[in-house]
Amino acid sequence: MAVGIVGYGSYVPRYRIKVEEIAKQWGDNAESIKNGLLLYEKTVPGMDEDTITISYMAAKYALQRAGIDPKEIGALYIGSESHPYAVKPSGTVVAEALGITPDVHIADFEFACKAGSEAMFVAYSHVKAGNMKYAMGIGADTSQGAPGDALEYSAAAGGSAFIFGTENIVAEVLYTYSFTTDTPDFWRREHEFYPQHAGRFTGEPAYFRHVLSCARALMDMSGLKAEDFAYAIFHMPNGKFPLRAGKILGFKKEQLEPGWIVPWQGNTYSGSSPTGLSATLDIAKPGDLILMVSFGSGAGSDGFIFKVTERIEEVRDKAPKFWDMLKNNKIYLDYGLYAKFRGKIILRPEL
Amino acid sequence: MLTPRVYKEIPQRYRLEANKCKKCGRVNFPPRLVCPNCGSQEFEDYRLPTTGKILTYTVVRTPPVDFKLQKPIVLAIVELEDGTRIMCQVTDLPPYVENYDEIIKIGAPVELVFRKIFSEGEAGIHVYGYKCRLI
């Protein structure tokens, strides 16, 4: 029985900040960041946006493409490291707003930047096991980066939602695999506002080991080589890492470009590789093979191989496309407004 | 403590659930038990459309304390595609606006979006609902 994505959607906030604006604040050289990390600007959530509202919008667009009754969705999982509540699920608000409740299983996932692919993995597994007709996995974040830290150039906002089912599939899941170890490359302790990272340690032992191992295992499992894929998406903590991972695995830049969104969106953490997949589905053709590998610090990678079906042509125009949302209606912020929007200013209690 | 009231208003705030009079066809939002137009008590469930146009708007420069960080806030009366009129906040506006008339034109098309309306202080619940934004 074929199982795959029956509907997908992404959401991109309208506010932006440029690398130059952040660099100016901290005395950094913007050109070296742009050339070194391949980051140019990033999305900023509005003051009334959070993981719940972003998840809702992405899920709404996924439902528009799937064209199904929301009541038929048996599970909704949201992966994020910026859930608005420490105790109270994001998923209940989103499911209630979409009209999915009460006959639904809800859980919020957390695994640094791979919580979104985790949600997709479990949603897919439920459908494959025959537990339910449809299940939805969402990855969304309003990512945190400490003022003055390198992460501030990349930590962005956005998310994507995927509905899995067995009928009217737009991209069949052919293979899945997860590669996981205990690697302390990036963390945030309870009650801490910003995460910490282990500098250069985050590259080789963390990102590259997990992403490459996961991708290689999937390619071995499937017998597919880099040239067999139309597109590939690797988690995007900056612009450089996914290009390097792709090159090591034998992919060409053209195979990565449609889903290489980080230079202009930033790293949406749990939304990163899922949104790269969504952007790729927006332009994919029937028969295309797509490799997607996420990465979450701590650390692990989830990998999927998808095969796009004829139905992609019918559904892609039923909701806003990723690059249209990213390129249009932008509102640029200066650093002062960015600090206010992100709650980085200490206020009097009455405010 | 707003929590019980917020809970009761979820169908309207989250899903735009209205009702439609079976006798005269009037749409009531929020739903009513008696139709103010014809007195009928028979209704069918009705979900409001999510696109419309700005009929009029006002800028609130001294909003209630829960909205202070968002000031100035813009409130609009929006006529939805089916003719139903609702009042809601306009979101996703540029932070510096000298003349709102240059940005928000009467008749401008809008879409309803799901947003955080406000939070009950530092430790209370987040209250979600609909706002509109220019398309």
Side-chain angles (χ1 to χ4, degrees):
Chain A
M1 180 179 64
V3 177
I5 295 167
V6 299
Y8 70 95
S10 294
Y11 177 75
V12 181
R14 288 185 173 177
Y15 295 101
R16 304 280 189 282
I17 187 165
K18 287 179 182 285
V19 159
E20 287 87 344
E21 183 65 26
I22 300 172
K24 188 172 71 181
Q25 195 68 26
W26 301 108
D28 289 337
N29 183 337
E31 286 308 309
S32 74
I33 289 155
K34 287 162 77 175
N35 296 332
L37 296 175
L38 303 177
L39 297 171
Y40 309 124
E41 62 185 47
K42 68 172 191 174
T43 51
V44 180
M47 293 183 71
D48 55 3
E49 291 185 298
D50 60 21
T51 289
I52 287 175
T53 64
I54 290 169
S55 297
Y56 169 83
M57 293 301 288
K60 178 186 161 182
Y61 295 148
L63 276 165
Q64 281 175 214
R65 286 200 171 101
I68 62 169
D69 179 354
K71 290 277 182 202
E72 290 189 297
I73 293 175
L76 184 147
Y77 302 121
I78 300 177
S80 179
E81 57 179 90
S82 50
H83 290 291
Y85 291 99
V87 179
K88 188 188 181 308
S90 301
T92 54
V93 181
V94 174
E96 192 78 59
L98 293 169
I100 298 175
T101 53
D103 302 315
V104 60
H105 185 251
I106 303 275
D108 285 359
F109 290 171
E110 184 275 328
F111 193 144
C113 293
K114 90 165 182 81
S117 63
E118 226 168 45
M120 292 166 66
F121 196 99
V122 179
Y124 157 74
S125 301
H126 265 310
V127 175
K128 191 181 178 191
N131 292 339
M132 53 195 64
K133 191 172 180 185
Y134 299 110
M136 188 186 291
I138 304 172
D141 254 307
T142 54
S143 314
Q144 309 95 341
D149 189 276
L151 283 178
E152 198 176 25
Y153 292 102
S154 60
S160 293
F162 298 87
I163 301 167
F164 290 87
T166 56
E167 295 166 10
N168 296 320
I169 292 169
V170 299
E172 183 185 348
V173 178
L174 299 184
Y175 297 91
T176 61
Y177 177 72
S178 283
F179 183 90
T180 313
T181 69
D182 181 2
T183 306
D185 59 315
F186 173 100
W187 62 92
R188 178 163 65 86
R189 292 269 298 272
E190 184 89 75
H191 308 304
E192 286 292 308
F193 195 60
Y194 299 115
Q196 296 198 35
H197 54 94
R200 289 181 183 277
F201 183 68
T202 59
E204 296 301 333
Y207 180 87
F208 289 103
R209 180 183 175 208
H210 292 79
V211 167
L212 297 178
S213 300
C214 184
R216 283 175 180 141
L218 274 171
M219 289 160 90
D220 286 348
M221 202 186 280
S222 62
L224 295 166
K225 296 185 178 66
E227 58 265 32
D228 297 324
F229 292 93
Y231 304 106
I233 302 107
F234 304 104
H235 173 58
M236 292 163 271
N238 52 54
K240 198 174 163 184
F241 278 21
L243 292 187
R244 193 172 148 212
K247 194 175 176 187
I248 293 168
L249 292 164
F251 289 92
K252 292 178 181 160
K253 202 175 176 192
E254 305 87 82
Q255 291 167 286
L256 307 175
E257 266 173 345
W260 188 57
I261 58 180
V262 64
W264 302 274
Q265 192 188 21
N267 177 7
T268 54
Y269 286 25
S270 302
S272 174
S273 50
T275 304
L277 173 64
S278 173
T280 304
L281 287 173
D282 281 346
I283 54 97
K285 294 183 180 60
D288 283 349
L289 290 171
I290 301 173
L291 171 69
M292 171 191 146
V293 181
S294 66
F295 172 72
S297 293
S301 283
D302 295 328
F304 296 82
I305 294 177
F306 297 99
K307 186 174 186 182
V308 179
T309 74
E310 299 282 341
R311 192 165 176 268
I312 193 75
E313 310 283 9
E314 287 172 42
V315 308
R316 72 169 114 234
D317 292 328
K318 289 185 175 174
K321 292 179 189 163
F322 171 79
W323 283 103
D324 292 340
M325 285 187 280
L326 193 69
K327 286 178 181 170
N328 299 321
N329 299 310
K330 293 195 245 184
I331 302 168
Y332 285 98
L333 302 177
D334 61 24
Y335 194 88
L337 283 161
Y338 165 74
K340 179 187 168 193
F341 272 47
R342 299 300 293 127
K344 292 173 189 278
I345 300 174
I346 298 169
L347 300 167
R348 294 197 313 269
E350 64 267 31
L351 281 174
Chain B
M1 173 63 86
L2 277 171
T3 306
R5 198 188 92 195
V6 169
Y7 174 72
K8 284 176 71 175
E9 292 174 349
I10 279 177
Q12 287 77 54
R13 287 183 183 273
Y14 285 18
R15 297 190 297 270
L16 299 161
E17 286 185 8
N19 66 10
K20 191 172 187 176
C21 177
K22 282 186 174 174
K23 196 172 167 191
C24 72
R26 181 191 157 107
V27 172
N28 300 293
F29 183 74
R32 289 176 181 254
L33 295 174
V34 178
C35 178
N37 189 43
C38 70
S40 167
Q41 295 180 39
E42 288 187 38
F43 298 93
E44 60 187 55
D45 293 338
Y46 184 81
R47 185 80 62 94
L48 295 182
T50 56
T51 52
K53 62 182 181 184
I54 299 270
L55 277 191
T56 186
Y57 75 93
T58 187
V59 181
V60 182
R61 295 185 186 276
T62 50
V65 66
D66 287 328
F67 295 84
K68 263 193 173 173
L69 280 177
Q70 297 181 47
K71 76 175 179 180
I73 60 171
V74 178
L75 294 174
I77 294 177
V78 172
E79 186 172 286
L80 299 172
E81 271 175 11
D82 66 350
T84 308
R85 294 174 179 184
I86 63 169
M87 187 167 74
C88 62
Q89 197 175 330
V90 185
T91 189
D92 284 356
L93 291 169
Y96 296 128
V97 178
E98 280 188 18
N99 182 359
Y100 278 94
D101 286 344
E102 287 179 3
I103 292 180
I104 307 173
K105 307 284 184 196
I106 301 304
V110 292
E111 63 175 337
L112 299 186
V113 289
F114 186 69
R115 293 295 171 93
K116 186 164 69 180
I117 306 298
F118 66 92
S119 300
E120 286 185 10
E122 279 296 302
I125 63 159
H126 300 301
V127 178
Y128 295 91
Y130 57 86
K131 293 185 181 181
C132 74
R133 69 174 181 179
L134 299 166
I135 296 174

